[in-house]
Amino acid sequence: MLWSGWGDPEKAVTLPPGVVTLLEQALGVQPAERPPVALSEVTLPPPKLDMAVSSELAMFVGPPNLHSHRDARIRHATGRSTTDLLRLRAGDASGAPDAVVLPATHNETLGVLGACARRRVAVVPFGGGTSVVGGLAADRAGYSGLVAVDVRRMTGLVSLDAESLTATFQAGTPAVEAEELLAAKGFTLGHFPQSFQWARLGGFAATRSAGQASAGYGRFDEMVLALKVATPEGTIELGRGPSSAAGPDLRQLILGSEGAFGVITELTVRVHAAPERTLYQAWRFGSFAEGVAAVRELAQRGPLPTVLRLSDEAETGVDAGLHGRPADGGCLVVAGYDGTSAGVEPFAAAGAAALAAAGGTRLDDAIGEGWAAGRFDAPYLRDALLDAGAIAETLETATSWSTLVALKEAVTAALTASLSAQGTPPLVMCHVSHVYPTGASLYFTVVAAARENAVAAWGAAKKAATDAIVDGGGTLTHHHGVGVEHRPWLEREIGPLGVEMLRAVKARLDPAGILNPGVLVP
């Protein structure tokens, strides 16, 4: 991955001159005063790791798998939020670990964690590095050093049970590789979040990831049947059978734990027969509220498409402009249908009938197909906006159907008021991409001019938006995780006793407090 941006450097995009002019006219965006620094100019903190500690860690993983050179440290310094990238582009890698450790097995991971606990070295479990909520920003104060435990050597399909439709993977397996391995045997996991091309399976579990086809295949935490976890206190193995009444489901303590309780090394997930054919449709609704009513009808009464996405008026207009289509107003719904060659067309036809009955107007299917073809490209556009002098950041939540529209309006108003008061009036866009019988997600994208204090400006706007989310009854996060950014509000969501429960679990599994300190647990 590009050290100061998203993804493959060969896929970087440049904004057309017309878009740059529009950004200047509409939002006051001006070219960045200073270009991003070169990799050689990035400032790193002096390494604190004692040579004796390095030697002990190298005993477990082998000297070639302990890296302390500049490139490794910088590439493990942050996640990929806009705030992370602004700091990196300014040459600030102050969050970089002292070293990067690459275990290849569960037992090697146990050894590394045990040594770090004895030596009081903080550990950041590292998968694909795609966190956008400060999930890799461990607090190193009070520790003798900080290492990133990168799981990328723990890859591969351990076993496939075609009869039970389950597969066991090592947790460092890239999502792309997992899909390729399953496809070769006629299966799919069906999990395609925007981070799909770079994230790893263990990271999906650790953050309760939700993919763009979650309407059909479910969230990732719903897919996980069993887990193997390395902790400083030993091994945890959880999950037997398709379901269990053997007390509370302890898997739920690991799913979403963001590396604060242990390092996931292996997981068993449910899989599906690979679809023989996929169809996409595009629909127009007159307003966001009308679109919400339509997708709610599908979520509650069916037929529920595999992919179901509703963009508000602002996002619909921007999407039309980027793809050279006339902006006719209204809101875009994209519906995707996976199935067999014989069954997918009746499935799509039933969905079309329901959307038409709800007041939708059928658009050219090529619009839906175009969305599918470019669904992993948005982060590259974010980098291009940074190059042009704009910030582009996202945040998300979920709430019940009865409060969805009101919460969307409240968060939009909070973001607009905060950034406008700082002299950077924003464009706020929103879409629904994950639906349930009882409610849905709201995913916001914010674009504004990047001033000299862009990090602080976004921090203030994010606080205003998060306050609006909590006050409006939404969850802090639907699928990005808590990280550092949402931690100050977690007690408001789970209560003081809930926080004490998390602290008690951490104290038992990680008594030295070395695992991702400052992340998740207040």
Side-chain angles (χ1 to χ4, degrees):
M1 185 180 288
L2 179 66
W3 72 270
S4 60
W6 180 265
D8 183 352
E10 297 297 320
K11 295 183 179 179
V13 299
T14 302
L15 295 179
V19 173
V20 174
T21 300
L22 183 60
L23 287 169
E24 180 179 356
Q25 293 172 346
L27 301 176
V29 172
Q30 298 292 327
E33 294 182 6
R34 294 183 298 274
V37 303
L39 181 60
S40 60
E41 299 173 302
V42 173
T43 301
L44 280 169
K48 291 176 58 179
L49 205 62
D50 185 87
M51 185 62 70
V53 178
S54 295
S55 297
E56 185 173 359
L57 295 177
M59 278 194 331
F60 293 107
V61 300
N65 299 305
L66 178 69
H67 301 160
S68 57
H69 52 82
R70 278 180 55 85
D71 187 74
R73 294 180 66 202
I74 292 170
R75 291 180 185 277
H76 290 78
T78 69
R80 282 300 178 266
S81 72
T82 293
T83 297
D84 292 332
L85 298 187
L86 286 169
R87 288 178 174 145
L88 279 178
R89 285 165 167 245
D92 176 9
S94 54
D98 300 311
V100 180
V101 187
L102 291 88
T105 67
H106 176 83
N107 286 339
E108 287 183 9
T109 307
L110 280 177
V112 168
L113 296 185
C116 288
R118 290 190 298 274
R119 302 279 191 165
R120 196 157 173 75
V121 174
V123 171
V124 178
F126 194 98
T130 62
S131 171
V132 292
V133 291
L136 306 175
D139 182 1
R140 64 192 304 152
Y143 295 90
S144 63
L146 173 68
V147 299
V149 174
D150 190 321
V151 299
R152 69 176 181 257
R153 293 179 67 216
M154 290 190 280
T155 66
L157 177 63
V158 177
S159 64
L160 174 69
D161 184 341
E163 186 176 3
S164 304
L165 292 179
T166 66
T168 299
F169 286 95
Q170 293 196 72
T173 307
V176 172
E177 180 182 325
E179 278 298 323
E180 291 172 348
L181 290 168
L182 289 173
K185 299 178 182 296
F187 296 99
T188 182
L189 187 56
H191 190 68
F192 304 105
Q194 200 161 70
S195 61
F196 169 75
Q197 294 174 317
W198 300 96
R200 297 172 185 267
L201 298 189
F204 289 158
T207 58
R208 291 189 180 274
S209 175
Q212 295 166 355
S214 66
Y217 296 104
R219 296 166 55 93
F220 195 79
D221 49 342
E222 297 169 339
M223 301 177 184
V224 177
L225 302 175
L227 290 159
K228 188 173 185 179
V229 186
T231 82
E233 293 293 286
T235 296
I236 302 173
E237 292 189 74
L238 301 168
R240 291 191 179 192
S243 191
S244 173
D249 188 349
L250 296 182
R251 290 174 305 173
Q252 301 303 323
L253 287 173
I254 303 302
L255 295 167
S257 62
E258 302 182 34
F261 297 160
V263 178
I264 299 169
T265 59
E266 189 176 283
L267 64 168
T268 299
V269 293
R270 72 180 189 214
V271 297
H272 307 264
E276 296 174 0
R277 191 177 173 198
T278 298
L279 298 178
Y280 284 95
Q281 299 171 358
W283 293 79
R284 179 191 177 279
F285 285 84
S287 68
F288 186 71
E290 292 175 21
V292 166
V295 298
R296 176 174 61 83
E297 186 73 10
L298 292 179
Q300 294 178 338
R301 300 178 187 275
L304 183 60
T306 311
V307 173
L308 186 60
R309 181 185 180 100
L310 163 67
S311 295
D312 73 355
E313 292 87 346
E315 187 172 278
T316 299
V318 168
D319 181 75
L322 288 173
H323 292 91
R325 301 192 306 270
D328 296 329
C331 294
L332 174 68
V333 166
V334 172
Y337 303 86
D338 281 359
T340 63
S341 297
V344 71
E345 289 195 11
F347 181 22
L355 288 167
T361 300
R362 182 81 173 262
L363 304 176
D364 189 337
D365 288 353
I367 296 173
E369 293 162 359
W371 172 84
R375 61 183 170 171
F376 302 127
D377 295 343
Y380 293 101
L381 181 60
R382 187 265 306 265
D383 288 358
L385 287 165
L386 285 174
D387 292 338
I391 61 168
E393 189 54 296
T394 63
L395 57 93
E396 38 76 54
T397 182
T399 191
S400 59
W401 289 114
S402 59
T403 57
L404 191 80
V405 174
L407 184 60
K408 187 253 190 188
E409 292 172 351
V411 175
T412 299
L415 289 165
T416 301
S418 177
L419 288 165
S420 296
Q422 300 176 76
T424 55
L427 170 65
V428 181
M429 299 170 280
C430 184
H431 68 254
V432 170
S433 55
H434 308 278
V435 299
Y436 309 90
T438 57
S441 66
L442 290 169
Y443 192 103
F444 296 86
T445 301
V446 186
V447 181
R451 303 289 188 246
E452 188 172 349
N453 63 343
V455 171
W458 174 249
K462 180 69 182 284
K463 179 182 183 303
T466 308
D467 284 338
I469 286 170
V470 175
D471 292 343
T475 179
L476 284 173
T477 171
H478 173 261
H479 58 272
H480 281 170
V482 174
V484 169
E485 289 192 7
H486 296 140
R487 190 177 62 130
W489 288 270
L490 187 58
E491 185 171 325
R492 291 184 62 184
E493 178 149 336
I494 67 174
L497 192 57
V499 169
E500 290 303 318
M501 289 173 65
L502 290 181
R503 290 174 179 166
V505 172
K506 185 168 179 66
R508 179 62 187 91
L509 299 180
D510 179 26
I514 62 164
L515 287 168
N516 234 1
V519 171
L520 178 64
V521 183

